[in-house]
Amino acid sequence: MEHVATGEVPKGSLLLVESLDRITRQEVGEAHFSFMSLLRSGIRVVTLLDGQEYSWETANAGAGMVQLIISLSILSRAHEESATKARRLKEAWKAKRKRMDSGGVLTSRVPAWIRLETGTGQLELVADRAGVVRRIFKDTLAGVGQASIASALNGEGVKPWGRGGYWQRSYIAKILASEAVIGAFTPHTLDYIEGKRTRTPQGHLEKCSLSKAI
């Protein structure tokens, strides 16, 4: 829509989509408003699944009412399917959080100095990485700055974790600020509020004795 408004996408252009549900999964009112705004801007929408072509001209023509009713139905179904998937996903994560009360693991995404053993389902320290974490805290307590710590690790050829090619001050700061090193964990839920992804904390846990070993 931004490219259409600026003229980067000229009027009369075709937008090819598999189905209208690929355009938006908003609530039906917002979805139809966005769809009609696109047509009013001079863009023609072609749905490849059923071979329909939507335009501002056809929407206002005599037979356009039937086409609009069909589009409303498709957009409504898309929103319902999206809402159902989101609800099921929330319930699945809620069940996972409950399993943590009996010692279960919420997710395999853990700090880089811990690994999840798939066979046992237990968390284990990565010895060399845990040693680096201890060193970072020890150096910090001794008054060494974050940039200096990163520089020293790079100078000594200590391989960084993840996709980065070298240690950065920002990652040192992230480790120092992480409560995972003292066994604390705060699960979050993800919601869309006014179109923005919002993470909401769901309580503070201190149950990971493994992390406390750091």
Side-chain angles (χ1 to χ4, degrees), residues 11-15 20 23 32 35-47 51-65 67-68 71:
K11 292 183 177 180
S13 296
L14 290 173
L15 173 61
L20 291 182
I23 295 179
H32 203 247
F35 176 60
M36 294 302 293
S37 296
L38 192 63
L39 300 184
R40 189 170 187 176
S41 299
I43 303 301
R44 292 185 293 160
V45 177
V46 175
T47 52
Q52 291 291 312
E53 180 176 329
Y54 301 84
S55 69
W56 185 250
E57 291 73 24
T58 58
N60 288 280
M65 182 60 66
Q67 198 179 45
L68 287 178
S71 69

Side-chain angles (χ1 to χ4, degrees), residues 4-205:
V4 170
T6 59
E8 186 173 344
V9 176
K11 292 183 177 180
S13 296
L14 290 173
L15 173 61
L16 305 180
V17 294
E18 181 185 13
S19 178
L20 291 182
D21 60 8
R22 295 298 186 183
I23 295 179
T24 177
R25 293 181 180 248
Q26 297 172 297
E27 293 183 356
V28 63
E30 289 293 333
H32 203 247
F33 176 79
S34 298
F35 176 60
M36 294 302 293
S37 296
L38 192 63
L39 300 184
R40 189 170 187 176
S41 299
I43 303 301
R44 292 185 293 160
V45 177
V46 175
T47 52
L48 303 177
L49 193 62
D50 55 10
Q52 291 291 312
E53 180 176 329
Y54 301 84
S55 69
W56 185 250
E57 291 73 24
T58 58
N60 288 280
M65 182 60 66
V66 175
Q67 198 179 45
L68 287 178
I69 292 174
I70 293 174
S71 69
L72 275 170
S73 175
I74 295 173
L75 293 171
S76 176
R77 185 189 65 203
H79 172 68
E80 287 298 324
E81 289 178 352
S82 180
T84 299
K85 288 179 181 177
R87 184 169 58 252
R88 288 174 178 170
L89 187 60
K90 279 188 176 182
E91 290 300 320
W93 278 103
K94 185 177 180 180
K96 287 183 179 181
R97 287 194 292 271
K98 283 185 177 180
R99 285 200 295 270
M100 291 185 67
D101 294 335
S102 57
V105 177
L106 178 65
T107 174
S108 61
R109 296 185 63 180
V110 294
W113 35 268
I114 293 177
R115 63 168 168 258
L116 175 64
E117 288 295 330
T118 55
T120 63
Q122 298 298 312
L123 298 174
E124 293 186 0
L125 287 175
V126 180
D128 57 336
R129 294 184 176 185
V132 173
V133 173
R134 296 188 188 98
R135 171 182 170 175
I136 289 172
F137 276 88
K138 181 179 179 180
D139 288 349
T140 299
L141 291 172
V144 181
Q146 296 170 4
S148 297
I149 294 174
S151 179
L153 291 173
N154 289 322
E156 295 171 20
V158 178
K159 187 177 180 180
W161 313 327
R163 294 174 295 179
Y166 53 91
W167 289 89
Q168 300 184 42
R169 186 207 63 79
S170 58
Y171 191 60
I172 301 299
K174 182 178 180 180
I175 292 175
L176 291 170
S178 173
E179 291 188 330
V181 297
I182 58 172
F185 172 67
T186 303
H188 290 70
T189 57
L190 181 63
D191 297 289
Y192 285 87
I193 301 177
E194 297 182 355
K196 295 182 179 180
R197 287 163 55 98
T198 304
R199 297 179 74 245
T200 305
Q202 297 299 302
H204 192 77
L205 303 177

